[in-house]
Amino acid sequence: MNPAFDPNHLRLIAPELVLTVSAFLMLGLSTISDRGRRIWAPALAILACLTTLAAVLAFVRNFGLEALRVPSMTIGFSGMFVVDAFSIFFKVVFLLAAMLTILVSSRYLDLERANVGEYYSLILFAVVGMMFMASAGDLVTIFVSIETMALAFYVLVGFLKANRKSNEAALKYFLLGGFSTGIFLYGLSLVYGTTSTTSLALIGFSRARMALASPEAPIFILGVILVTVGLGFKIAAVPFHMWAPDAYEGAPTPVTAFLSTGSKAAAFVVLARLLAMSFLPLGDRWATLLAILAVASMTLGNVAAILQDNMKRMLAYSSISHAGYVLLGLVAVGLKGSVETREYGLTAVLLYLLIYTFVNIGAFTLVIALKREQVAGDRVADFAGLSRRAPWAAFAMLVFLLSLAGIPATAGFIGKWFLFGAAIKAGYAWLAVVAVINSAISLYYYVRVVVNMYIRAPEDAERFAPSWGQRAALLACIVFTLLFGVYPQPIIAFAEKSILDLAPWAS
Amino acid sequence: MPHWYVDNALNLVTFLPLFGALALLFADKEKKALIMHAATWIALADFLLSVPLFFLYDADRGGFQFEQRLSWIPSIGVQYYIGIDGISLLLLLLTTFLGFLSILSSWTAVTERVKEYYVFMLLLQTGMLGVFISLDFFLFYIFWEAMLVPMYFLIGIWGGPRKLYAAIKFFLYTLLGSVLMLLGILAVYFFYPRVTGGGYSFDITEFIRVLGPLTQPEWLEMQKWVFLAFFIGFAIKVPMFPFHTWLPDAHVEAPTAGSVILAGVLLKMGTYGFVRFSLPMLPHATRHYLPHMLALSVIGILYGALVAMVQKDWKKLVAYSSVSHLGFCMLGVFALNQQGLNGGILQMINHGLSTGALFLIVGLIYERRHTRMISEFGGLSKQMPIFATLFMIIMMSSIGLPTLNGFIGEFTILVGAFAIPAGYGFSVPWLGLRVGGMFWAVCGVLGIVLGAAYMLWLYQRTMFGKLDNPENARLKDLDLREIMTLAPIVVCCFWIGLYPKPLFRILEKPVAEIAARLSAAETGGQAAAEATAARGALGR
């Protein structure tokens, strides 16, 4: 290992650099008081994301996704930073999620009298954190990048200064987030202590060597458990989900949308990389742990969602249950099965997170667009009669809800197909049974919204007029959901090519 | 017939309603008459397009015809693979036929949110047709489940007083069944490449060809689980006792056309599933669970009939009669012989026709009186002679009177059931009791007797007697359109009752193939069991 700084490595973090500079630039520009800012600020933020996206995709163009699976080509900063197809996939997801979020934000912030430039730079900072999380090849990078993302989100959740719920949400999120960070960090220290390395790739080797001397390593296992718990907070898996409903409800709705997709996907990328790269020798152990978390998340998330009257809370619980579904894919990775099963499980995770990003942001966009002066628009009852007020919007929401429930001909079905398939393939049939029963339960509360939209009469005749940004986001999400629901081959191929190379000891 | 028709007939028939629905989406929702007529024409065109298939299908050749195979999602081995054999052909025709009639019957019944109504009806049509033409499991599943959504809306928006409850119950019940079936599909899907050593596939014909005769012990064990997964999916749809509880609610609350489609076509998807997938692909498990299947079928027949007998609501009575009749279909199918299968499949068609018509009849009365309580009626035959005549024929068809279709179906089923060898039912060794074909056939006959009882009693209470309710004195008889919705069904009932040969001829080859697979599995399974036993003996 060569500790010397190699300027060539800067090329690897070029996209992140672009985004960081843009974020600072936005921060500086936000001091300019200008009435036109509500137009140019989001436009600039999107431009920044697009530039970053182009920089990310340049890697694909230069190397090809296949070549990016060869680790030696793309490791920088003494292995602390890795650019592989896996990370690129997630960076694309984060950037898309961020762009959709920015598109739907402006009108909402206007209505909340909170349209200030810091908002967009905070979103960009969060994305920077996420992108580093995706590329982290070292425990230290992981920790620093998670905190970068989390700090941005703490502020974003409490962004509505005058709103008590928003403040409460931020406080809860901050306290529980800090608590989880402590646990996570403790786990990292135990892992480091037992393996004497912070490099993700070396932890696995070190552990494999240790296993020869001492097959049982309680301290290491404790470390793995604590790390999983720490990340469990971030993905809002039961029983580490307590912050999620309050934070989701109190946060500005666009932030909620971003939190439930981007931040969740980011936590999953770290979890997947840690488990699949570093902790794989203990695969069968943590697979059981994840299976328990999955069952708890799916069941509790879905059952609690039935009781909610607030859309944001309902989607929060639904999001908890979806984290449970995604865990199915990781369970398949952990088993001492064939490499094929592992790859199938990882593909399922990637695919689902991509699909979920579009579908969930789509659903939240409708909640955001229902917001009017003095009306929060986030109750389930606010959707009453939407099909008569705005047939196309109601149709879009219908598609998103059906997709979340996993009904065929929507992208959500493809995602669930892969996840359930992963569980079956890994021989976890009982887990798949729990998952599909949950999937049926979830339909109940999604359909309640549909009943409101299509069967109940509207409460008022107020015109439903989303902003242009919201329309664009909605269109993107609906096209994605339906197009890839019917013809999923491109995204499946993208996910299949992006799964990280399993370490040599995998087979 | 032009070549392009033969090549694309199935696609045309299946997707015409979908494109019709999409076109209707852009229509002005105030122009109700236009939308109504357009939908009717689309449905009629769809039916007319499907009729030539009946004549073009080569019954002597058998097997799947009008096939089309396109690559769709190569990553996971999904193809767009469609085709029909005799079984699916008949169900396809039934679907387009009833689809047209139910849309025709909705003209006066549906007056609000007309545009959405016809859009959902047409979407439903595509979903159902797709189920019957799919030869790729993935494709099949998409149609199978996507179809629930329009049906949910039809019940939920245009249904009766308890529509929301009925709609969500229907949706949740059937979805739960489908997702469990999905797990069964996944299990087969992952197992298949381990047998062939090739890539993933969802090709149903390949599954049947490769996995059907396979006697690998691991697969024999797995079959049982897969069978159970499929069973839950299909049995809920059929519905078999004890999974029938969604049916009375859904049927009663659904609008007339919805009930017609539900009873006429949707339930057949369950029986079709058993015939198409469970039997030929999982023959050993079918044998294994045969006693349970037969018992549930017979319980369904008797239970449905008994419950129908005590109903006060006309529509609910018809709904429970469905449970009983579908029990008949299942009894025929699980007789596992040529006659039984023939009869079971034919009875699916018969039930679609006669129960579809019965729901239309209830709908006609409901439109006039806005009640379905049997006690409200009596002596209607004097006031509505045409109605009474048509109702009489349909009722007789439902009971199974000779010269009408029901008789042919039930008779064939009983012949099949009679031939079930002893020991395929429950046997109680310590009583020296071995239940065989005789028992099942007698249960079936009992069901027919009960069926005649509740139907005739219904007819007597509503049509005969004194016209003592003054509200009924002003009822108008059927107009031309209403006659037009029932007359074609009556014609079909007579046709099948008098000359069923063309139908049996179409069914012959596919059914014979399924029956052959099942009997091969019996001998094959025994051989495998003996071989295992022999190995065990050697080991010792």
Side-chain angles (χ1 to χ4, degrees):
Chain A
M1 202 180 284
N2 177 15
F5 173 75
D6 182 353
N8 273 330
H9 288 166
L10 284 178
R11 273 198 309 197
L12 294 178
I13 58 165
E16 286 81 357
L17 284 179
V18 170
L19 202 59
T20 314
V21 171
S22 315
F24 277 114
L25 221 60
M26 292 287 302
L27 202 57
L29 284 173
S30 70
T31 54
I32 303 171
S33 173
D34 171 16
R35 287 182 57 80
R37 193 175 59 203
R38 42 188 292 273
I39 308 287
W40 61 252
L44 271 183
I46 285 188
L47 188 68
C49 287
L50 280 175
T51 319
T52 314
L53 189 64
V56 168
L57 291 177
F59 284 113
V60 183
R61 220 197 57 196
N62 291 346
F63 300 108
L65 270 176
E66 294 290 345
L68 281 173
R69 296 181 68 177
V70 182
S72 59
M73 298 181 66
T74 49
I75 292 179
F77 303 102
S78 318
M80 296 188 85
F81 192 86
V82 184
V83 180
D84 51 7
F86 186 66
S87 66
I88 286 181
F89 181 92
F90 277 99
K91 285 175 189 177
V92 171
V93 172
F94 301 148
L95 287 166
L96 289 173
M99 284 193 277
L100 290 171
T101 309
I102 292 164
L103 274 177
V104 300
S105 293
S106 186
R107 161 79 65 88
Y108 184 91
L109 296 173
D110 271 352
L111 289 166
E112 288 284 1
R113 314 268 182 276
N115 204 350
V116 287
E118 291 96 330
Y119 177 85
Y120 297 104
S121 56
L122 280 169
I123 295 250
L124 297 188
F125 278 125
V127 179
V128 170
M130 292 175 193
M131 288 172 72
F132 273 105
M133 281 164 85
S135 277
D138 193 285
L139 297 183
V140 178
T141 326
I142 287 180
F143 181 72
V144 173
S145 54
I146 286 187
E147 285 311 292
T148 310
M149 178 191 82
L151 284 173
F153 268 119
Y154 297 145
V155 183
L156 280 170
V157 168
F159 204 72
L160 309 177
K161 280 177 286 193
N163 185 325
R164 281 179 55 188
K165 269 191 176 174
S166 181
N167 284 315
E168 183 194 329
L171 190 63
K172 275 190 181 156
Y173 185 35
F174 178 68
L175 287 180
L176 279 167
F179 185 55
S180 77
T181 305
I183 293 176
F184 183 64
L185 200 53
Y186 187 44
L188 291 188
S189 72
L190 291 181
V191 169
Y192 172 67
T194 46
T195 57
S196 29
T197 174
T198 55
S199 156
L200 295 190
L202 295 179
I203 287 172
F205 278 124
S206 174
R207 167 63 210 156
R209 216 173 40 238
M210 266 163 56
L212 296 176
S214 56
E216 289 297 321
I219 306 286
F220 182 70
I221 291 175
L222 187 63
V224 172
I225 292 174
L226 291 180
V227 166
T228 312
V229 168
L231 289 168
F233 270 101
K234 292 275 180 260
I235 62 172
V238 175
F240 318 115
H241 66 287
M242 286 80 114
W243 60 274
D246 290 325
Y248 280 29
E249 189 191 354
T253 319
V255 173
T256 313
F258 194 39
L259 191 61
S260 67
T261 53
S263 139
K264 188 168 290 221
F268 263 110
V269 65
V270 170
L271 191 59
R273 209 187 270 279
L274 272 172
L275 294 179
M277 265 179 96
S278 311
F279 303 153
L280 199 59
L282 287 177
D284 45 348
R285 303 267 180 106
W286 56 252
T288 316
L289 178 67
L290 291 191
I292 295 166
L293 290 185
V295 169
S297 307
M298 291 187 289
T299 313
L300 197 126
N302 280 323
V303 172
I306 292 177
L307 307 171
Q308 306 306 321
D309 286 322
N310 180 295
M311 273 306 279
K312 283 160 83 177
R313 277 190 96 80
M314 193 194 91
L315 287 171
Y317 279 108
S318 130
S319 163
I320 291 169
S321 73
H322 282 274
Y325 297 129
V326 180
L327 284 174
L328 294 189
L330 286 180
V331 169
V333 177
L335 288 172
K336 294 231 186 295
S338 64
V339 173
E340 209 193 327
T341 311
R342 297 202 159 120
E343 294 192 336
Y344 201 88
L346 267 184
T347 310
V349 171
L350 265 61
L351 202 54
Y352 201 83
L353 288 171
L354 171 65
I355 291 167
Y356 184 69
T357 298
F358 275 88
V359 174
N360 216 35
I361 291 188
F364 270 115
T365 302
L366 262 302
V367 182
I368 295 166
L370 277 177
K371 162 127 192 97
R372 301 195 303 270
E373 290 286 345
Q374 312 301 329
V375 180
D378 60 359
R379 292 171 309 143
V380 174
D382 286 324
F383 280 81
L386 189 66
S387 76
R388 267 164 278 185
R389 284 163 60 199
W392 290 103
F395 172 73
M397 190 65 181
L398 172 69
V399 170
F400 297 138
L401 292 170
L402 292 178
S403 181
L404 286 172
I407 303 287
T410 60
F413 169 68
I414 305 294
K416 279 199 174 155
W417 171 278
F418 267 80
L419 287 173
F420 298 165
I424 292 267
K425 198 169 160 60
Y428 262 78
W430 65 269
L431 197 55
V433 170
V434 173
V436 295
I437 290 175
N438 262 294
S439 181
I441 295 174
S442 74
L443 185 77
Y444 183 79
Y445 58 85
Y446 293 131
V447 160
R448 247 186 9 174
V449 183
V450 175
V451 166
N452 269 290
M453 290 194 304
Y454 279 87
I455 299 174
R456 299 254 151 79
E459 284 183 347
D460 52 39
E462 186 84 27
R463 233 167 63 80
F464 175 80
S467 71
W468 286 108
Q470 289 162 353
R471 279 171 208 227
L474 217 49
L475 187 69
C477 292
I478 194 95
V479 167
F480 180 95
T481 313
L482 285 179
L483 180 68
F484 293 126
V486 176
Y487 186 68
Q489 178 61 26
I491 51 171
I492 295 176
F494 184 27
E496 269 179 344
K497 284 188 183 139
S498 302
I499 49 175
L500 82 162
D501 251 323
L502 293 164
W505 58 82
S507 49
Chain B
M1 269 293 147
H3 199 257
W4 60 264
Y5 172 80
V6 178
D7 286 346
N8 297 301
L10 291 182
N11 284 326
L12 269 176
V13 171
T14 307
F15 293 107
L16 179 70
L18 174 68
F19 287 114
L22 291 180
L24 281 188
L25 273 182
F26 293 96
D28 179 0
K29 69 178 171 197
E30 295 307 319
K31 291 184 177 154
K32 292 181 178 176
L34 174 82
I35 291 166
M36 191 168 86
H37 285 111
T40 315
W41 281 111
I42 293 166
L44 178 63
D46 201 38
F47 172 60
L48 293 178
L49 271 175
S50 68
V51 169
L53 290 173
F54 184 76
F55 300 100
L56 290 172
Y57 181 82
D58 186 349
D60 297 322
R61 187 152 67 84
F64 291 104
Q65 298 178 17
F66 308 102
E67 285 167 286
Q68 194 173 35
R69 195 194 284 265
L70 300 167
S71 176
W72 179 17
I73 315 176
S75 279
I76 52 175
V78 177
Q79 303 173 67
Y80 179 80
Y81 180 26
I82 56 172
I84 50 173
D85 66 355
I87 302 168
S88 28
L89 170 62
L90 292 186
L91 289 165
L92 179 105
L93 289 170
L94 179 74
T95 309
T96 53
F97 183 58
L98 286 181
F100 165 61
L101 291 181
S102 54
I103 285 182
L104 187 65
S105 77
S106 310
W107 282 20
T108 48
V110 175
T111 49
E112 55 179 46
R113 304 178 76 175
V114 173
K115 178 172 137 182
E116 289 161 87
Y117 177 82
Y118 288 105
V119 167
F120 284 128
M121 282 298 278
L122 291 172
L123 288 179
L124 183 63
Q125 188 80 351
T126 292
M128 294 183 304
L129 291 167
V131 164
F132 293 130
I133 63 162
S134 300
L135 291 180
D136 183 279
F137 236 141
F138 193 90
L139 183 66
F140 166 83
Y141 190 80
I142 286 192
F143 283 122
W144 171 276
E145 215 175 283
M147 181 220 70
L148 298 178
V149 178
M151 195 70 223
Y152 169 79
F153 280 112
L154 285 175
I155 302 174
I157 298 182
W158 294 275
R162 291 167 69 235
K163 57 188 181 184
L164 287 182
Y165 170 75
I168 191 68
K169 190 170 176 183
F170 161 77
F171 203 168
L172 282 184
Y173 238 95
T174 37
L175 183 83
L176 188 64
S178 331
V179 289
L180 287 170
M181 179 178 82
L182 173 72
L183 296 186
I185 296 177
L186 281 167
V188 175
Y189 167 71
F190 286 121
F191 183 76
Y192 173 78
R194 280 163 53 194
V195 180
T196 58
Y200 289 125
S201 167
F202 283 99
D203 187 331
I204 290 164
T205 55
E206 280 296 294
F207 282 171
I208 292 173
R209 192 181 62 80
V210 174
L211 298 179
L214 195 70
T215 52
Q216 201 176 313
E218 190 194 354
W219 169 239
L220 292 185
E221 186 55 35
M222 202 170 120
Q223 269 196 20
K224 293 178 188 165
W225 291 103
V226 175
F227 185 90
L228 285 182
F230 283 9
F231 166 75
I232 293 176
F234 298 144
I236 286 177
K237 206 78 148 194
V238 169
M240 285 174 93
F241 180 88
F243 302 107
H244 64 282
T245 61
W246 64 267
L247 179 134
D249 288 310
H251 277 47
V252 170
E253 297 304 322
T256 301
S259 309
V260 172
I261 296 288
L262 259 178
V265 184
L266 232 105
L267 307 187
K268 309 305 175 304
M269 288 167 40
T271 42
Y272 173 78
F274 277 112
V275 176
R276 171 69 72 236
F277 307 108
S278 300
L279 264 54
M281 198 190 299
L282 313 164
H284 296 280
T286 308
R287 290 275 177 208
H288 182 77
Y289 287 111
L290 194 59
H292 311 85
M293 295 296 118
L294 288 170
L296 288 182
S297 309
V298 165
I299 293 174
I301 295 175
L302 298 176
Y303 174 83
L306 287 172
V307 178
M309 190 108 58
V310 298
Q311 293 308 316
K312 297 190 178 88
D313 182 321
W314 194 333
K315 205 170 181 184
K316 219 164 186 168
L317 188 150
V318 178
Y320 275 106
S321 83
S322 273
V323 176
S324 178
H325 285 156
L326 264 296
F328 258 106
C329 294
M330 295 318 297
L331 178 63
V333 167
F334 280 101
L336 303 188
N337 47 38
Q338 178 94 30
Q339 289 83 13
L341 278 163
N342 265 339
I345 295 162
L346 189 66
Q347 191 64 7
M348 293 183 207
I349 308 294
N350 292 336
H351 174 262
L353 293 172
S354 57
T355 306
L358 282 174
F359 275 119
L360 285 175
I361 281 166
V362 181
L364 292 173
I365 277 295
Y366 185 76
E367 261 184 68
R368 285 169 168 70
R369 277 292 317 274
H370 296 284
T371 179
R372 295 183 300 249
M373 286 299 143
I374 297 170
S375 56
E376 288 281 315
F377 301 102
L380 292 187
S381 60
K382 299 182 187 73
Q383 189 64 30
M384 309 170 70
I386 305 176
F387 177 77
T389 315
L390 290 172
F391 182 21
M392 165 89 83
I393 299 170
I394 299 292
M395 176 198 67
M396 291 303 181
S397 143
S398 177
I399 293 173
L401 194 78
T403 73
L404 283 164
N405 58 348
F407 172 73
I408 307 288
E410 285 174 356
F411 183 76
T412 330
I413 289 173
L414 290 178
V415 172
F418 204 80
I420 300 174
Y424 271 139
F426 288 103
S427 49
V428 192
W430 48 273
L431 277 178
L433 192 68
R434 267 161 71 83
V435 173
M438 181 71 128
F439 174 78
W440 305 117
V442 166
C443 288
V445 171
L446 201 59
I448 296 184
V449 174
L450 288 173
Y454 64 75
M455 272 298 165
L456 287 170
W457 194 32
L458 168 72
Y459 197 82
Q460 185 199 342
R461 282 182 292 171
T462 53
M463 296 292 133
F464 295 149
K466 270 206 278 266
L467 190 77
D468 43 13
N469 191 336
E471 293 220 31
N472 293 334
R474 290 190 306 276
L475 290 183
K476 279 205 289 282
D477 207 348
L478 306 188
D479 64 21
L480 186 64
R481 180 186 61 88
E482 289 165 337
I483 295 174
M484 278 304 298
T485 58
L486 285 174
I489 297 182
V490 170
V491 171
C492 285
C493 288
F494 274 111
W495 171 42
I496 299 177
L498 294 171
Y499 189 62
K501 200 176 151 207
L503 301 187
F504 280 131
R505 213 172 78 85
I506 279 183
L507 287 179
E508 191 187 337
K509 278 272 160 71
V511 166
E513 199 197 316
I514 294 171
R517 284 189 182 285
L518 285 160
S519 53
E522 185 185 15
T523 49
Q526 272 165 6
E530 277 159 22
T532 318
R535 264 202 306 279
L538 277 178
R540 258 183 266 123

